[in-house]
């Protein structure tokens, strides 16, 4: 993985962040690092990977677990880029702070939970 620069105008258009105000986007940028990832790279290989919430900014990834692949998010899995991608790990403690500050992730978190519970439309 290669460190990349996060641009506010691009972050604003990333689905997970579309409901945030400019000052909140700036806070995200100040408390995270964007990484460029080549296809086939295991994103979850970092020693501190479990301490972060991972956001796909652009590209694609899949979860590999016990020989099967999933579009994303099962525990005890390998997160692997499927295309040239940009990802952003956010420390769980920083994400908790964002929630305390009222950053609006509610709709996205509900959609993700429903998808992985098998109840999404």
């Amino acid at each position: 993985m290669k460190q990349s620069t996060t641009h506010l105008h691009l972050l604003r258009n990333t689905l997970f962040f579309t409901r945030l105000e400019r000052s909140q986007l700036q806070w995200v940028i100040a408390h995270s690092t964007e990484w460029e990832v080549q296809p086939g790279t295991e994103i979850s290989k970092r020693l501190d990977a479990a301490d972060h919430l991972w956001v796909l900014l652009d590209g694609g990834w899949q979860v590999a677990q016990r020989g099967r692949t999933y579009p994303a998010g099962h525990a005890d899995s390998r997160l692997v880029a499927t295309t040239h991608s940009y990802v952003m790990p956010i420390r769980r403690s920083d994400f908790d702070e964002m929630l305390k500050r009222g950053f609006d992730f509610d709709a996205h978190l509900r959609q993700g939970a429903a998808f992985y519970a098998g109840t999404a439309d």
Side-chain angles (χ1 to χ4, degrees), residues 53-78:
L53 170 84
W54 290 81
V55 179
L56 179 65
L57 302 175
D58 188 38
W61 61 15
Q62 67 184 15
V63 173
Q65 181 179 29
R66 297 184 187 133
R68 299 181 67 194
T69 58
Y70 305 88
H74 298 306
D76 300 324
S77 306
R78 294 174 44 243

Side-chain angles (χ1 to χ4, degrees), residues 16-17 20 24-25 27-32 53 55 88-105:
F16 192 70
F17 299 108
L20 301 187
Q24 293 172 323
L25 291 168
W27 199 95
V28 169
I29 291 169
H31 292 86
S32 63
L53 170 84
V55 179
M88 176 182 282
I90 301 172
R91 286 196 176 286
R92 290 186 187 272
S93 58
D94 287 334
F95 188 71
D96 290 342
E97 181 63 25
M98 289 181 216
L99 294 175
K100 282 185 203 173
R101 291 173 178 241
F103 287 33
D104 188 358
F105 296 117

